[in-house]
Amino acid sequence: WLDEDPGMQLCEALSGAHGGIVISRGYDLATAKEIALKLTETCGLHTTGVSAADFLHGHVVLATPETPLLAFRPDGPAGPSVDLALQGAARYGARQWVVGGRDIAAAATSATAGALALENVPERLSPLVFAIPGQLLAERVARLRGRDPDRPEGLSKVIQTT
């Protein structure tokens, strides 16, 4: 996916951006937050991971053409909430990319630049499937930004407690 047009466009958009937004809902909120953290720590790219519901209560104003938006859209009860967030982001002109199950067509808006349809899995298992493309994305964007994703600046693997 990252070697095809939509994936390459997302990598290029993120590599040249000052920030990004990653959204999801339900079980995949953790996926959104983890991928946002990976983009921040490996790429030096300020990225916000936020619930699709919370996104519509303020964060949506950050969704501009200059701020790429990545959505993890699970099949199941959380999916329609992500769809609403994407519709809200489209009103602000955000360029959107969506990772989801085979029902991903429901998420498409006029602002959707690309989609990655993965296998349908129960929503409770989708983080296991969605995390891999997100991690590969962070690795690719880090390299495009001239950073070594295996040795991120400022990241310490040792935490001392007292």
Side-chain angles (χ1 to χ4, degrees):
W1 178 66
L2 293 177
D3 293 325
E4 298 170 6
D5 274 348
M8 288 189 325
Q9 291 171 5
L10 173 57
C11 290
E12 289 170 9
L14 285 167
S15 69
H18 293 292
I21 305 168
V22 185
I23 64 169
S24 195
R25 186 85 193 263
Y27 294 105
D28 281 297
L29 176 56
T31 306
K33 289 185 174 285
E34 175 64 14
I35 299 310
L37 177 62
K38 290 289 176 236
L39 288 166
T40 297
E41 68 190 12
T42 63
C43 305
L45 177 67
H46 180 79
T47 311
T48 301
V50 66
S51 159
D54 291 340
F55 177 75
L56 289 173
H57 294 287
H59 291 88
V60 70
V61 300
L62 301 174
T64 65
E66 297 80 30
T67 306
L69 179 117
L70 174 61
F72 291 97
R73 198 253 186 225
D75 294 327
S81 178
V82 175
D83 298 343
L84 288 173
L86 289 169
Q87 291 166 14
R91 288 192 291 274
Y92 285 87
R95 292 177 50 207
Q96 308 169 3
W97 288 265
V98 184
V99 174
R102 296 284 176 207
D103 297 336
I104 202 168
T109 72
S110 60
T112 302
L116 172 60
L118 301 170
E119 293 300 317
N120 282 352
V121 295
E123 190 172 320
R124 69 184 182 279
L125 298 178
S126 60
L128 299 172
V129 176
F130 292 172
I132 294 168
Q135 291 170 342
L136 293 172
L137 172 69
E139 186 266 342
R140 175 76 55 89
V141 172
R143 293 192 190 284
L144 287 171
R145 290 174 67 98
R147 293 174 170 261
D148 182 351
D150 296 320
R151 290 178 187 77
E153 278 184 51
L155 183 64
S156 174
K157 297 291 183 178
V158 177
I159 300 172
Q160 292 183 328
T161 59
T162 56

